[in-house]
């Protein structure tokens, strides 16, 4: 048996399809992000501008966050020392969970090492808590939600993306007395479109179903205190479980759920993904708590963020580039070809010092390959002009379609 041959074949398929993933060596410049340093494979370095980061507001370099991190590290050291129930539960973890529960106006929050971990662990354990649970999942839900549902070994149904009528059709086929849960997202990161939260909540009420929402790409960015789309639209009280991250708008790392005290207690008591995972370092928890607290009272970064996103969309639209605009801060520009998508990304980096990763299958369906831009308040007007000018020239060079795919 030649195991290496199997591995070579698998990797070669990725190269042939133009979707082999390259991890670029990028070092962010503290206090200067989105400026960064790219170290090439040959060891040469180059100054670049990052256009695909998820530190949406630049909080990873905010003085409030850095001061909290350094102070906690001085007090508690580097690691947490264990899982939460052994020795990894500290005042820093407790304070962060308190901040997160308050953010979403829920009784309790449970902290995980990532939002992926939070989704997978929570959704996989719910069928144990509710025997016979049926989960209804939006077809474009994140991989972590799909994996969690799969690992729950329960009955599941996938409804068409944001299709409330189809969701109703599915619900009407299910036993009225069966426990049900509808899992969906508030903001879908690859297209930048919003979920129909209120309409789904109405259906959940009508069919006596629980609701589970992923707010990963919205927390910190929307709502008067950064509670996400559910806070912005005054719907958080209608959601049973809210999932969020600390690694995007809050600029640190970690994930969480916010829910009722009783359900949170059951999830932390039964979910292996929580029980057997070492907790976040105390300094990370302290930094995240400081970031959450700061963005509850400072709306200026959210306002500036939306203004920069609109500015970039307006500039790209003026060039008739095929962007999706659903009113969010996420800007996908469609290429539709994996090889050309990777080529564009490489040329932007090599020739212009502009870093944006190609988004290919399986992250998005084949034929919808794209570049996904995430402007932030720390991107300057000059940076936007450099990007737009480079894209305009490269789009023509690669003979790509300029017809808009959506308004």
């Amino acid at each position: 048996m030649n195991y290496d041959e199997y591995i070579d074949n698998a990797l070669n398929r990725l190269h042939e399809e133009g979707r082999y993933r390259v991890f670029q060596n990028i070092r962010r410049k503290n206090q200067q992000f989105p400026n960064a340093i790219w170290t090439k494979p040959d060891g040469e370095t180059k100054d670049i501008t990052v256009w695909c980061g998820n530190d949406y507001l630049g909080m990873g370099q905010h003085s409030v966050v850095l001061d909290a991190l350094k102070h906690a590290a001085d007090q508690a050291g580097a690691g947490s020392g264990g899982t939460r129930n052994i020795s990894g539960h500290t005042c820093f973890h407790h304070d962060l969970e308190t901040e997160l529960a308050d953010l979403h106006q829920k009784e309790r929050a449970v902290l995980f090492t990532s939002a992926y971990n939070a989704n997978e662990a929570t959704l996989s354990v719910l069928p144990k808590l509710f025997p016979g649970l049926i989960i209804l999942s939006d077809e474009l839900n994140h991989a972590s939600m799909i994996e969690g549902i799969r690992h729950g070994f329960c009955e599941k149904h996938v409804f068409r993306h944001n299709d409330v009528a189809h969701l109703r059709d599915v619900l009407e086929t299910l036993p009225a007395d069966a426990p049900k849960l509808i899992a969906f997202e508030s903001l879908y990161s690859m297209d930048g479109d919003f979920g129909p939260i209120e309409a789904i909540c109405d259906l959940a009420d009508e069919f006596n179903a629980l609701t589970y929402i992923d707010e990963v790409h919205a927390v910190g960015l929307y709502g008067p205190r950064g509670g996400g789309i559910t806070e912005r639209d005054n719907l958080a009280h209608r959601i049973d479980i809210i999932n969020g991250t600390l690694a995007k708008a809050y600029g640190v790392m970690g994930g969480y759920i916010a829910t009722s005290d009783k359900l949170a207690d059951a999830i932390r008591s039964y979910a292996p993904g929580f029980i057997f995972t070492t907790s976040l370092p105390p300094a990370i928890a302290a930094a995240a708590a400081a970031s959450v607290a700061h963005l509850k009272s400072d709306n200026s970064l959210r306002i500036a963020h939306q203004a920069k996103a609109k500015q970039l969309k307006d500039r790209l639209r003026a060039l008739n580039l095929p962007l999706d605009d659903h009113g969010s801060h996420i800007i996908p520009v469609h290429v539709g070809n994996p090889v050309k998508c990777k080529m564009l990304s490489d040329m932007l980096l090599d020739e212009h010092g502009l870093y944006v990763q190609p988004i290919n299958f399986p992250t998005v369906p084949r034929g919808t390959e794209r570049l996904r831009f995430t402007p932030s308040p720390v991107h300057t007007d000059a940076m936007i002009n450099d990007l737009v000018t480079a894209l305009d020239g490269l789009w023509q060079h690669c003979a790509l379609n300029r017809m808009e795919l959506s308004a």
Side-chain angles (χ1 to χ4, degrees):
M1 175 66 70
N2 187 342
Y3 291 101
D4 284 344
E5 184 177 349
Y6 284 93
I7 297 171
D8 290 339
N9 289 339
L11 292 174
N12 287 337
R13 285 196 300 271
L14 295 178
H15 283 287
E16 290 167 2
E17 295 173 11
R19 58 186 187 92
Y20 178 78
R21 297 172 187 244
V22 176
F23 301 110
Q24 301 290 359
N25 188 342
I26 305 294
R27 179 169 65 81
R28 291 153 51 103
K29 291 184 178 181
N30 187 25
Q31 305 301 316
Q32 299 178 54
F33 186 75
N35 294 309
I37 298 173
W38 172 40
T39 301
K40 301 180 182 181
D42 63 4
E44 181 185 352
T45 61
K46 181 175 182 176
D47 290 334
I48 64 168
T49 303
V50 176
W51 276 101
C52 56
N54 285 338
D55 185 358
Y56 290 135
L57 300 179
M59 290 300 293
Q61 62 187 3
H62 198 287
S63 59
V64 168
V65 176
L66 296 180
D67 288 346
L69 185 143
K70 294 171 185 176
H71 179 69
D74 287 341
Q75 286 188 314
S80 68
T83 63
R84 291 284 291 279
N85 64 309
I86 293 179
S87 63
H89 178 76
T90 69
C91 59
F92 303 106
H93 299 87
H94 175 271
D95 292 347
L96 175 54
E97 287 182 336
T98 300
E99 284 286 358
L100 293 168
D102 172 75
L103 174 67
H104 296 291
Q105 294 297 289
K106 298 295 184 185
E107 294 175 345
R108 192 168 178 177
V110 180
L111 181 63
F112 293 81
T113 53
S114 70
Y116 189 109
N117 180 214
N119 270 334
E120 196 281 332
T122 302
L123 287 166
S124 65
V125 81
L126 290 176
K128 298 178 184 177
L129 303 178
F130 306 106
L133 180 67
I134 301 171
I135 297 182
L136 301 96
S137 174
D138 187 287
E139 67 176 337
L140 293 189
N141 276 343
H142 190 266
S144 58
M145 301 174 74
I146 295 170
E147 287 299 298
I149 296 168
R150 179 180 295 131
H151 295 158
F153 302 106
C154 65
E155 181 179 342
K156 66 177 179 181
H157 297 268
V158 177
F159 60 93
R160 291 189 293 271
H161 178 54
N162 282 349
D163 191 332
V164 179
H166 186 222
L167 175 58
R168 169 180 286 280
D169 290 342
V170 176
L171 284 165
E172 287 176 343
T173 68
L174 304 179
D177 59 348
K180 307 171 193 69
L181 179 137
I182 305 171
F184 62 111
E185 300 185 33
S186 66
L187 175 53
Y188 292 84
S189 63
M190 288 301 110
D191 292 320
D193 58 330
F194 298 100
I197 303 174
E198 185 171 18
I200 289 178
C201 288
D202 289 343
L203 281 181
D205 290 345
E206 181 179 347
F207 289 90
N208 193 25
L210 297 171
T211 48
Y212 184 106
I213 195 167
D214 181 310
E215 284 259 42
V216 160
H217 290 273
V219 290
L221 304 175
Y222 298 86
R225 300 194 312 154
I229 307 301
T230 51
E231 184 194 37
R232 184 196 71 178
D233 297 347
N234 193 30
L235 295 169
H237 64 287
R238 300 187 65 184
I239 301 293
D240 294 293
I241 305 174
I242 296 175
N243 168 276
T245 187
L246 303 164
K248 293 182 170 59
Y250 294 116
V252 193
M253 72 168 291
Y256 64 89
I257 59 164
T259 184
S260 68
D261 182 74
K262 187 177 295 185
L263 185 51
D265 193 21
I267 290 168
R268 76 169 188 93
S269 299
Y270 279 88
F274 175 83
I275 296 170
F276 299 107
T277 300
T278 298
S279 64
L280 287 173
I284 295 296
S291 187
V292 173
H294 179 82
L295 287 177
K296 284 179 181 177
S297 59
D298 184 359
N299 205 35
S300 61
L301 283 175
R302 282 188 283 276
I303 294 172
H305 183 224
Q306 292 297 321
K308 287 295 181 183
K310 182 180 184 305
Q311 181 181 355
L312 180 56
K313 284 186 283 191
D314 287 345
R315 293 290 304 276
L316 295 176
R317 191 180 290 108
L319 297 174
N320 291 322
L321 294 187
L323 72 148
D324 280 342
D325 183 5
H326 296 281
S328 74
H329 62 283
I330 294 169
I331 307 175
V333 178
H334 286 260
V335 179
N337 179 293
V339 174
K340 288 190 175 182
C341 196
K342 179 67 167 61
M343 182 192 306
L344 271 174
S345 173
D346 289 343
M347 294 172 76
L348 282 168
L349 184 60
D350 292 336
E351 299 174 14
H352 300 276
L354 304 171
Y355 178 55
V356 57
Q357 273 286 62
I359 308 295
N360 294 331
F361 179 84
T363 307
V364 296
R366 297 180 194 274
T368 69
E369 292 82 8
R370 66 200 65 180
L371 300 175
R372 175 182 173 274
F373 298 95
T374 53
S376 72
V378 291
H379 282 92
T380 65
D381 292 349
M383 290 175 181
I384 290 178
N385 192 63
D386 289 344
L387 173 65
V388 171
T389 301
L391 270 177
D392 187 24
L394 290 178
W395 216 261
Q396 182 174 348
H397 175 79
C398 295
L400 292 169
N401 181 18
R402 287 180 182 260
M403 184 180 297
E404 292 187 33
L405 298 182
S406 66

